[in-house]
PDB file of all heavy atoms in Angstrom:
ATOM      1  N   ASN A  46      -7.486  25.764  12.460  1.00 95.00           N
ATOM      2  CA  ASN A  46      -7.536  26.480  13.732  1.00 95.00           C
ATOM      3  C   ASN A  46      -6.142  26.921  14.182  1.00 95.00           C
ATOM      4  O   ASN A  46      -5.981  27.993  14.779  1.00 95.00           O
ATOM      5  CB  ASN A  46      -8.186  25.604  14.802  1.00 95.00           C
ATOM      6  CG  ASN A  46      -8.517  26.381  16.057  1.00 95.00           C
ATOM      7  OD1 ASN A  46      -9.180  27.418  16.002  1.00 95.00           O
ATOM      8  ND2 ASN A  46      -8.035  25.912  17.196  1.00 95.00           N
ATOM      9  N   ILE A  52      -0.446  30.749  13.875  1.00 93.00           N
ATOM     10  CA  ILE A  52       0.669  29.819  13.666  1.00 93.00           C
ATOM     11  C   ILE A  52       0.890  29.723  12.159  1.00 93.00           C
ATOM     12  O   ILE A  52      -0.033  29.408  11.409  1.00 93.00           O
ATOM     13  CB  ILE A  52       0.368  28.438  14.287  1.00 93.00           C
ATOM     14  CG1 ILE A  52       0.291  28.568  15.811  1.00 93.00           C
ATOM     15  CG2 ILE A  52       1.420  27.413  13.878  1.00 93.00           C
ATOM     16  CD1 ILE A  52      -0.367  27.406  16.487  1.00 93.00           C
ATOM     17  N   CYS A  95      10.396  12.796   4.093  1.00 97.00           N
ATOM     18  CA  CYS A  95      11.802  12.428   4.257  1.00 97.00           C
ATOM     19  C   CYS A  95      12.597  12.657   2.975  1.00 97.00           C
ATOM     20  O   CYS A  95      13.780  13.018   3.036  1.00 97.00           O
ATOM     21  CB  CYS A  95      11.917  10.967   4.706  1.00 97.00           C
ATOM     22  SG  CYS A  95      11.372  10.701   6.405  1.00 97.00           S
ATOM     23  N   LYS A 132      27.390 -16.896  -4.367  1.00 88.00           N
ATOM     24  CA  LYS A 132      27.378 -18.328  -4.713  1.00 88.00           C
ATOM     25  C   LYS A 132      26.628 -19.138  -3.655  1.00 88.00           C
ATOM     26  O   LYS A 132      27.126 -20.135  -3.123  1.00 88.00           O
ATOM     27  CB  LYS A 132      28.805 -18.854  -4.872  1.00 88.00           C
ATOM     28  CG  LYS A 132      29.568 -18.159  -5.994  1.00 88.00           C
ATOM     29  CD  LYS A 132      30.997 -18.671  -6.120  1.00 88.00           C
ATOM     30  CE  LYS A 132      31.729 -17.953  -7.253  1.00 88.00           C
ATOM     31  NZ  LYS A 132      33.129 -18.383  -7.373  1.00 88.00           N
ATOM     32  N   MET A 133      25.409 -18.684  -3.364  1.00 88.00           N
ATOM     33  CA  MET A 133      24.620 -19.300  -2.301  1.00 88.00           C
ATOM     34  C   MET A 133      23.946 -20.578  -2.780  1.00 88.00           C
ATOM     35  O   MET A 133      23.648 -20.735  -3.962  1.00 88.00           O
ATOM     36  CB  MET A 133      23.582 -18.302  -1.786  1.00 88.00           C
ATOM     37  CG  MET A 133      24.214 -17.057  -1.186  1.00 88.00           C
ATOM     38  SD  MET A 133      23.007 -15.795  -0.747  1.00 88.00           S
ATOM     39  CE  MET A 133      22.203 -16.606   0.620  1.00 88.00           C
ATOM     40  N   ASP A 137      19.172 -21.662   0.061  1.00 79.00           N
ATOM     41  CA  ASP A 137      19.393 -20.376   0.734  1.00 79.00           C
ATOM     42  C   ASP A 137      19.128 -19.192  -0.194  1.00 79.00           C
ATOM     43  O   ASP A 137      19.606 -18.086   0.049  1.00 79.00           O
ATOM     44  CB  ASP A 137      20.834 -20.288   1.265  1.00 79.00           C
ATOM     45  CG  ASP A 137      21.094 -21.261   2.410  1.00 79.00           C
ATOM     46  OD1 ASP A 137      20.133 -21.593   3.121  1.00 79.00           O
ATOM     47  OD2 ASP A 137      22.255 -21.683   2.577  1.00 79.00           O
ATOM     48  N   TYR A 160      22.882  -5.549  12.614  1.00 96.00           N
ATOM     49  CA  TYR A 160      22.256  -6.847  12.389  1.00 96.00           C
ATOM     50  C   TYR A 160      23.298  -7.968  12.463  1.00 96.00           C
ATOM     51  O   TYR A 160      23.050  -9.033  13.034  1.00 96.00           O
ATOM     52  CB  TYR A 160      21.561  -6.863  11.029  1.00 96.00           C
ATOM     53  CG  TYR A 160      20.623  -8.039  10.845  1.00 96.00           C
ATOM     54  CD1 TYR A 160      19.273  -7.924  11.155  1.00 96.00           C
ATOM     55  CD2 TYR A 160      21.088  -9.271  10.374  1.00 96.00           C
ATOM     56  CE1 TYR A 160      18.406  -8.994  10.997  1.00 96.00           C
ATOM     57  CE2 TYR A 160      20.240 -10.350  10.218  1.00 96.00           C
ATOM     58  CZ  TYR A 160      18.898 -10.208  10.532  1.00 96.00           C
ATOM     59  OH  TYR A 160      18.053 -11.280  10.395  1.00 96.00           O
ATOM     60  N   TYR A 229       8.699   1.451  14.176  1.00 97.00           N
ATOM     61  CA  TYR A 229       9.659   2.069  15.096  1.00 97.00           C
ATOM     62  C   TYR A 229      10.399   3.224  14.430  1.00 97.00           C
ATOM     63  O   TYR A 229      10.605   4.275  15.049  1.00 97.00           O
ATOM     64  CB  TYR A 229      10.674   1.033  15.593  1.00 97.00           C
ATOM     65  CG  TYR A 229      11.744   1.652  16.461  1.00 97.00           C
ATOM     66  CD1 TYR A 229      11.457   2.074  17.753  1.00 97.00           C
ATOM     67  CD2 TYR A 229      13.036   1.853  15.967  1.00 97.00           C
ATOM     68  CE1 TYR A 229      12.428   2.678  18.539  1.00 97.00           C
ATOM     69  CE2 TYR A 229      14.011   2.460  16.752  1.00 97.00           C
ATOM     70  CZ  TYR A 229      13.700   2.862  18.033  1.00 97.00           C
ATOM     71  OH  TYR A 229      14.658   3.471  18.803  1.00 97.00           O
ATOM     72  N   TYR A 256      -1.661  -3.883  10.834  1.00 92.00           N
ATOM     73  CA  TYR A 256      -0.493  -4.036   9.976  1.00 92.00           C
ATOM     74  C   TYR A 256       0.768  -4.462  10.735  1.00 92.00           C
ATOM     75  O   TYR A 256       1.873  -4.111  10.355  1.00 92.00           O
ATOM     76  CB  TYR A 256      -0.222  -2.733   9.213  1.00 92.00           C
ATOM     77  CG  TYR A 256      -1.318  -2.371   8.245  1.00 92.00           C
ATOM     78  CD1 TYR A 256      -2.047  -1.196   8.397  1.00 92.00           C
ATOM     79  CD2 TYR A 256      -1.641  -3.209   7.191  1.00 92.00           C
ATOM     80  CE1 TYR A 256      -3.068  -0.859   7.517  1.00 92.00           C
ATOM     81  CE2 TYR A 256      -2.657  -2.890   6.306  1.00 92.00           C
ATOM     82  CZ  TYR A 256      -3.363  -1.708   6.471  1.00 92.00           C
ATOM     83  OH  TYR A 256      -4.377  -1.392   5.596  1.00 92.00           O
ATOM     84  N   GLU A 282     -16.102   9.141  19.714  1.00 97.00           N
ATOM     85  CA  GLU A 282     -16.916   7.924  19.783  1.00 97.00           C
ATOM     86  C   GLU A 282     -18.228   8.018  19.006  1.00 97.00           C
ATOM     87  O   GLU A 282     -18.891   7.000  18.802  1.00 97.00           O
ATOM     88  CB  GLU A 282     -17.210   7.590  21.250  1.00 97.00           C
ATOM     89  CG  GLU A 282     -15.938   7.272  22.049  1.00 97.00           C
ATOM     90  CD  GLU A 282     -16.202   7.098  23.535  1.00 97.00           C
ATOM     91  OE1 GLU A 282     -16.720   8.057  24.150  1.00 97.00           O
ATOM     92  OE2 GLU A 282     -15.898   6.018  24.071  1.00 97.00           O
ATOM     93  N   LYS A 303      -7.807  -7.268  25.415  1.00 90.00           N
ATOM     94  CA  LYS A 303      -7.479  -6.646  26.697  1.00 90.00           C
ATOM     95  C   LYS A 303      -6.578  -5.424  26.556  1.00 90.00           C
ATOM     96  O   LYS A 303      -6.716  -4.457  27.300  1.00 90.00           O
ATOM     97  CB  LYS A 303      -6.813  -7.677  27.618  1.00 90.00           C
ATOM     98  CG  LYS A 303      -7.659  -8.925  27.863  1.00 90.00           C
ATOM     99  CD  LYS A 303      -9.039  -8.576  28.419  1.00 90.00           C
ATOM    100  CE  LYS A 303      -9.893  -9.827  28.619  1.00 90.00           C
ATOM    101  NZ  LYS A 303     -11.283  -9.485  28.993  1.00 90.00           N
ATOM    102  N   GLY A 330     -21.994 -22.858  -2.786  1.00 93.00           N
ATOM    103  CA  GLY A 330     -23.281 -22.407  -2.269  1.00 93.00           C
ATOM    104  C   GLY A 330     -23.178 -21.037  -1.629  1.00 93.00           C
ATOM    105  O   GLY A 330     -24.108 -20.226  -1.717  1.00 93.00           O
ATOM    106  N   LEU A 366     -14.332 -17.939  -6.610  1.00 88.00           N
ATOM    107  CA  LEU A 366     -15.697 -18.445  -6.774  1.00 88.00           C
ATOM    108  C   LEU A 366     -16.706 -17.316  -6.936  1.00 88.00           C
ATOM    109  O   LEU A 366     -17.693 -17.452  -7.679  1.00 88.00           O
ATOM    110  CB  LEU A 366     -16.081 -19.321  -5.579  1.00 88.00           C
ATOM    111  CG  LEU A 366     -15.536 -20.754  -5.601  1.00 88.00           C
ATOM    112  CD1 LEU A 366     -15.846 -21.462  -4.299  1.00 88.00           C
ATOM    113  CD2 LEU A 366     -16.107 -21.533  -6.779  1.00 88.00           C
ATOM    114  N   VAL A 417      15.581  -5.253 -24.471  1.00 90.00           N
ATOM    115  CA  VAL A 417      14.272  -4.825 -24.979  1.00 90.00           C
ATOM    116  C   VAL A 417      14.433  -3.496 -25.705  1.00 90.00           C
ATOM    117  O   VAL A 417      14.469  -2.448 -25.088  1.00 90.00           O
ATOM    118  CB  VAL A 417      13.254  -4.655 -23.820  1.00 90.00           C
ATOM    119  CG1 VAL A 417      11.862  -4.410 -24.376  1.00 90.00           C
ATOM    120  CG2 VAL A 417      13.261  -5.850 -22.890  1.00 90.00           C
ATOM    121  N   SER A 465      24.972   3.628 -25.730  1.00 92.00           N
ATOM    122  CA  SER A 465      25.704   4.585 -24.897  1.00 92.00           C
ATOM    123  C   SER A 465      25.555   6.011 -25.428  1.00 92.00           C
ATOM    124  O   SER A 465      25.321   6.955 -24.661  1.00 92.00           O
ATOM    125  CB  SER A 465      27.178   4.186 -24.835  1.00 92.00           C
ATOM    126  OG  SER A 465      27.895   5.037 -23.982  1.00 92.00           O
ATOM    127  N   SER A 476      18.364  17.205 -18.938  1.00 90.00           N
ATOM    128  CA  SER A 476      18.933  18.017 -17.856  1.00 90.00           C
ATOM    129  C   SER A 476      18.205  19.352 -17.733  1.00 90.00           C
ATOM    130  O   SER A 476      18.206  19.979 -16.673  1.00 90.00           O
ATOM    131  CB  SER A 476      20.427  18.252 -18.084  1.00 90.00           C
ATOM    132  OG  SER A 476      20.648  18.994 -19.276  1.00 90.00           O
ATOM    133  N   THR A 490      11.756   6.489 -28.840  1.00 94.00           N
ATOM    134  CA  THR A 490      11.776   6.154 -30.270  1.00 94.00           C
ATOM    135  C   THR A 490      13.209   5.957 -30.746  1.00 94.00           C
ATOM    136  O   THR A 490      13.532   4.948 -31.393  1.00 94.00           O
ATOM    137  CB  THR A 490      11.101   7.265 -31.094  1.00 94.00           C
ATOM    138  OG1 THR A 490       9.741   7.404 -30.677  1.00 94.00           O
ATOM    139  CG2 THR A 490      11.143   6.934 -32.582  1.00 94.00           C
ATOM    140  N   ILE A 598      -4.053 -13.914  18.533  1.00 90.00           N
ATOM    141  CA  ILE A 598      -5.064 -13.533  17.547  1.00 90.00           C
ATOM    142  C   ILE A 598      -5.625 -12.127  17.772  1.00 90.00           C
ATOM    143  O   ILE A 598      -6.640 -11.767  17.170  1.00 90.00           O
ATOM    144  CB  ILE A 598      -6.220 -14.557  17.494  1.00 90.00           C
ATOM    145  CG1 ILE A 598      -6.980 -14.595  18.826  1.00 90.00           C
ATOM    146  CG2 ILE A 598      -5.707 -15.930  17.115  1.00 90.00           C
ATOM    147  CD1 ILE A 598      -8.267 -15.400  18.740  1.00 90.00           C
ATOM    148  N   GLN A 615     -26.378  -2.646   6.393  1.00 97.00           N
ATOM    149  CA  GLN A 615     -26.630  -4.086   6.363  1.00 97.00           C
ATOM    150  C   GLN A 615     -25.316  -4.859   6.373  1.00 97.00           C
ATOM    151  O   GLN A 615     -24.373  -4.503   5.664  1.00 97.00           O
ATOM    152  CB  GLN A 615     -27.431  -4.471   5.111  1.00 97.00           C
ATOM    153  CG  GLN A 615     -28.806  -3.820   5.058  1.00 97.00           C
ATOM    154  CD  GLN A 615     -29.746  -4.522   4.100  1.00 97.00           C
ATOM    155  OE1 GLN A 615     -30.053  -5.703   4.261  1.00 97.00           O
ATOM    156  NE2 GLN A 615     -30.211  -3.802   3.091  1.00 97.00           N
ATOM    157  N   VAL A 647     -28.186 -10.542  16.503  1.00 95.00           N
ATOM    158  CA  VAL A 647     -27.853 -11.376  15.342  1.00 95.00           C
ATOM    159  C   VAL A 647     -29.060 -12.206  14.921  1.00 95.00           C
ATOM    160  O   VAL A 647     -29.769 -12.773  15.752  1.00 95.00           O
ATOM    161  CB  VAL A 647     -26.658 -12.306  15.673  1.00 95.00           C
ATOM    162  CG1 VAL A 647     -26.388 -13.252  14.508  1.00 95.00           C
ATOM    163  CG2 VAL A 647     -25.418 -11.484  15.991  1.00 95.00           C
TER     164      VAL A 647
END
Side-chain angles (χ1 to χ4, degrees):
N46 192 53
I52 294 164
C95 289
K132 298 179 180 178
M133 298 174 69
D137 292 332
Y160 193 93
Y229 176 73
Y256 295 118
E282 297 173 302
K303 303 304 178 187
L366 281 173
V417 188
S465 183
S476 63
T490 300
I598 64 170
Q615 298 199 61
V647 175

